[in-house]
Amino acid sequence: RDTMRSHLKALLAHAIEKTAKGEELNTTELPAVLLEPPKQREFGDLSSNVAMLWAKSAKKAPRLLAEAILKNIEDPDGILARKEIARPGFLNFAFAPKFYFQLLRDIDAGKNSQLDIGHGEKVQVEFASVNPTGPLHVGHGRVAVIGDVLARLHEATGFIVEREYYVNDAGNQMENLGLSLYARYLQAFGERVEFPEGGYPGEYVNEIAAEVKARDGDRYLRGDKDLSVRFFRQYGGDALLNIIRSQLDQFGIRFDCYFSEKAMRERGEVAQSMERLRELGLLYSQDGAQWYRSTQFGDDKDRTVIKSDGELTYFAADIAYHRNKFERKFAKLINVWGADHHGYVPRLKAAMQGLGYDAERLQVVLVQMVQLTRGGEPVRMGKRTGEVVSLEEVLDEVGRDAARFFFLTRKSDSHLDFDLELAKKQSSDNPVFYVQYAHARVASIFEQAAKQGIALGAHHSVQVERLELAEELELVRQMSQFNEVLEESVRELEPHRMAFYLLEFAGEFHRYYNRHRVVSEDTELSRARLLLLENVQMTIRRGLEILGVAAPDKMANRAEAEAAPS
């Protein structure tokens, strides 16, 4: 990719080779070329500490090495406007306007629009796998968005992605759901029954029980209790999974596969996995229970897989599930879990290692809690769940775009304060409004240009060299970084990077817009600025699409009317 970083890296690598030969340095190892933007913008576009990294093995002072490297940089096209040394040996570089103009032409020609680091490799992202015992709450929403955007990021970089939802439809929590529904059903007929300990008290349980009453009447009133609870367990699980699917659909999230734990158990996969571990000598008996030797693979203690009463642990089912995943031959398995699963990661990786799989292929992203606030005051109680606020309530109040963007305004492993009032504000304080407004502003500028009879016309004839302002070159510089942000987001599994990038980029655009007229009497300058802004808009739209957020051409609000386009 012809970005600043790749251009400069090539120039530096060549200069380092020349320096190693010319200075007759007693080293065969050449240093890696690392480039980062300097902390202060006035120091240039990119900075390298390569001279300091090299100093020890080259047995030469960093500054002397830096001077030698600078002397050996060949720049026949004159793309560097400035190259300087800063103490104690940093190399700082600033690019010439002609390089920015070529970058803009490349971006405009679509040379920046494709990034293929996946090369068609298969990746699975498993996320939002909530037990079907209640509707999604706001914390589940954050996990769902982070998983969905990770999938979108991988798709945007050349991977084939499969999104999977693990349906935890076996075990005690499903039994408790069946008992809860059965109790509410009996109560709906006026029966005096005690609500089960550990049951689900939310209003949604009453609603499902009422559905059954309306459909089947008193059919389960006098029948066998165990058979009735089994029915309610199945019916409730299916009904809640449908509610969850509907909520995710409303949130713009789809899955390729819903994987049932119950079906996996019925296929005998858990028993087969335990048998395999037994064959490998990795299970042992103690106090009537079966234990997995996870300490052999770096875990802090061995883990129970079969309890003394013969019941399987959740861990046993997870081992079988992940064995199934590995057998599906994905190059990478990404799990997006709540932060409360932190201690679970080492034991699961230890189990995969024991089964002979490459545990590094399994990557787990942990997502911290969400604190809902309203004007700074905590909001805790939900209407339907009896406890926390449901995702549906948040979506009804702030909408899909604001909810999705807000969930990405912090790193996934950081706590998030989600202010409902801020998410509804139509002002620059609201991050999603701020970014979407940048996209809409460009659309309104083009409308204004059309009214004044100024058209962009053939792109190749636009005099991009008229873009002389530092702010214009800065917009090009930031646009050129889009693919780097994309690649880093995939490599680090950090979807918040794209949201941060869009906020910074939108800010740069808004500042430019507020200081300079885009459409003026100078037709050629107007055309150059329109070309620049068309690509600004395209970059914002591309980023918002990856986040699953709309890129509107109009914002229905007072601010749009008050700020007439230039």
Side-chain angles (χ1 to χ4, degrees):
R1 286 167 294 127
D2 293 335
T3 62
M4 288 184 166
R5 211 178 287 252
S6 56
H7 266 288
L8 189 52
K9 208 167 189 176
L11 292 182
L12 273 174
H14 183 63
I16 288 162
E17 279 182 36
K18 274 186 76 176
T19 303
K21 287 175 189 166
E23 301 289 316
E24 295 180 351
L25 297 174
N26 186 24
T27 176
T28 52
E29 278 187 44
L30 296 181
V33 178
L34 302 174
L35 292 164
E36 293 298 332
K39 286 191 172 72
Q40 289 163 278
R41 191 71 186 87
E42 61 266 27
F43 290 131
D45 293 311
L46 288 169
S47 180
S48 178
N49 64 349
V50 68
M52 291 178 285
L53 289 176
W54 200 10
K56 190 175 179 185
S57 64
K59 296 180 178 151
K60 209 170 179 99
R63 184 163 188 104
L64 291 174
L65 271 177
E67 285 169 359
I69 293 167
L70 274 197
K71 190 177 72 183
N72 285 314
I73 287 178
E74 295 173 7
D75 180 21
D77 299 323
I79 65 168
L80 293 174
R82 206 171 75 236
K83 42 189 195 286
E84 299 167 343
I85 301 168
R87 286 165 138 194
F90 281 104
L91 289 166
N92 292 332
F93 302 91
F95 284 85
K98 67 181 288 187
F99 182 68
Y100 285 101
F101 300 145
Q102 189 53 51
L103 267 183
L104 178 56
R105 290 210 184 275
D106 288 346
I107 292 165
D108 187 55
K111 289 185 182 175
N112 209 35
S113 63
Q114 292 301 318
L115 177 61
D116 187 4
I117 57 175
H119 308 297
E121 282 190 337
K122 279 175 65 187
V123 171
Q124 188 211 62
V125 188
E126 183 237 312
F127 62 103
S129 301
V130 181
N131 297 344
T133 54
L136 299 175
H137 62 61
V138 69
H140 298 141
R142 189 181 186 198
V143 173
V145 168
I146 286 168
D148 183 53
V149 176
L150 280 171
R152 288 165 179 263
L153 284 161
H154 279 79
E155 283 171 337
T157 51
F159 291 89
I160 294 169
V161 180
E162 186 173 295
R163 294 160 167 82
E164 183 151 294
Y165 187 111
Y166 179 62
V167 186
N168 199 299
D169 51 3
N172 286 336
Q173 80 281 355
M174 296 307 292
E175 188 63 25
N176 286 340
L177 175 67
L179 289 166
S180 305
L181 283 165
Y182 181 57
R184 293 299 190 221
Y185 172 80
L186 294 177
Q187 288 169 357
F189 284 96
E191 300 280 318
R192 298 188 66 178
V193 291
E194 204 172 311
F195 196 70
E197 193 180 337
Y200 296 96
E203 179 57 31
Y204 65 92
V205 176
N206 291 338
E207 289 169 10
I208 295 170
E211 266 177 40
V212 175
K213 181 185 176 187
R215 195 191 76 165
D216 295 341
D218 63 358
R219 182 175 173 184
Y220 307 101
L221 203 56
R222 306 279 173 249
D224 179 82
K225 182 186 174 182
D226 288 346
L227 285 175
S228 295
V229 170
R230 191 187 305 168
F231 160 78
F232 278 105
R233 185 174 63 207
Q234 184 67 46
Y235 184 89
D238 290 346
L240 283 162
L241 187 58
N242 284 333
I243 288 169
I244 289 167
R245 279 176 139 160
S246 168
Q247 288 179 321
L248 289 167
D249 187 57
Q250 188 189 350
F251 210 20
I253 293 171
R254 61 172 178 80
F255 286 90
D256 302 298
C257 179
Y258 283 82
F259 188 100
S260 163
E261 179 192 347
K262 185 162 163 273
M264 176 183 71
R265 288 186 183 221
E266 286 167 358
R267 289 192 300 268
E269 288 184 39
V270 184
Q272 288 159 21
S273 295
M274 295 306 101
E275 188 51 42
R276 180 64 188 139
L277 290 174
R278 212 170 274 115
E279 287 167 8
L280 291 165
L282 293 171
L283 293 192
Y284 64 91
S285 297
Q286 187 178 303
D287 303 327
Q290 297 272 300
W291 297 72
Y292 173 62
R293 299 183 191 276
S294 54
T295 48
Q296 275 187 217
F297 304 97
D299 195 8
D300 58 348
K301 60 183 181 182
D302 290 345
R303 307 289 176 174
T304 321
V305 287
I306 303 171
K307 299 176 190 174
S308 54
D309 61 2
E311 192 184 330
L312 292 162
T313 63
Y314 284 123
F315 184 43
D318 277 336
I319 290 172
Y321 173 46
H322 284 82
R323 184 186 182 205
N324 178 298
K325 287 211 239 191
F326 270 99
E327 287 301 316
R328 283 186 263 163
K329 308 297 181 198
F330 292 102
K332 187 159 61 168
L333 295 165
I334 301 166
N335 288 356
V336 186
W337 288 347
D340 55 336
H341 287 77
H342 184 270
Y344 207 79
V345 179
R347 78 183 76 165
L348 189 57
K349 288 201 169 204
M352 294 305 102
Q353 222 176 320
L355 285 165
Y357 300 113
D358 177 6
E360 293 306 305
R361 276 167 53 202
L362 172 63
Q363 295 173 286
V364 181
V365 176
L366 296 169
V367 181
Q368 277 288 0
M369 298 290 290
V370 178
Q371 170 66 65
L372 268 188
T373 60
R374 193 183 295 284
E377 292 299 311
V379 178
R380 289 196 180 88
M381 295 301 289
K383 296 170 191 145
R384 293 191 73 226
T385 62
E387 297 165 2
V388 290
V389 180
S390 76
L391 178 61
E392 193 174 21
E393 289 171 68
V394 173
L395 287 176
D396 286 346
E397 184 164 348
V398 306
R400 179 201 290 187
D401 289 345
R404 286 187 71 108
F405 201 98
F406 264 65
F407 285 137
L408 297 163
T409 53
R410 291 284 181 277
K411 282 184 72 170
S412 59
D413 60 0
S414 300
H415 283 272
L416 173 69
D417 285 332
F418 188 129
D419 193 311
L420 292 163
E421 292 305 316
L422 179 60
K424 290 186 291 185
K425 259 191 184 177
Q426 294 181 332
S427 78
S428 59
D429 295 334
N430 178 351
V432 67
F433 177 89
Y434 193 59
V435 175
Q436 288 180 318
Y437 191 31
H439 188 274
R441 260 185 165 167
V442 177
S444 68
I445 289 168
F446 270 85
E447 274 183 27
Q448 189 72 14
K451 283 178 190 167
Q452 294 184 28
I454 296 173
L456 185 49
H459 288 212
H460 65 84
S461 68
V462 175
Q463 297 171 19
V464 294
E465 295 73 21
R466 296 293 306 276
L467 300 169
E468 296 168 347
L469 296 173
E471 296 103 305
E472 290 166 340
L473 301 184
E474 179 60 20
L475 283 169
V476 177
R477 186 184 76 85
Q478 289 195 22
M479 269 191 277
S480 77
Q481 292 176 328
F482 186 93
N483 278 352
E484 285 171 15
V485 174
L486 200 50
E487 189 168 345
E488 285 165 6
S489 302
V490 169
R491 190 177 62 243
E492 303 297 328
L493 300 182
E494 291 185 341
H496 73 276
R497 287 173 182 252
M498 184 55 72
F500 283 22
Y501 167 82
L502 288 173
L503 275 166
E504 188 181 338
F505 186 48
E508 195 62 42
F509 162 73
H510 287 306
R511 284 187 290 276
Y512 171 69
Y513 171 91
N514 289 328
R515 289 178 194 147
H516 305 286
R517 289 182 67 199
V518 176
V519 181
S520 67
E521 296 75 24
D522 186 336
T523 304
E524 288 310 318
L525 178 59
S526 298
R527 288 181 72 219
R529 288 179 171 176
L530 287 170
L531 179 76
L532 173 68
L533 294 199
E534 185 174 76
N535 284 284
V536 165
Q537 188 187 48
M538 177 273 296
T539 302
I540 291 170
R541 184 165 61 247
R542 195 175 160 207
L544 286 173
E545 278 171 5
I546 286 169
L547 301 187
V549 173
D553 284 340
K554 289 197 182 298
M555 304 291 281
N557 62 81
R558 197 173 67 244
E560 179 73 15
E562 288 171 354
S566 62

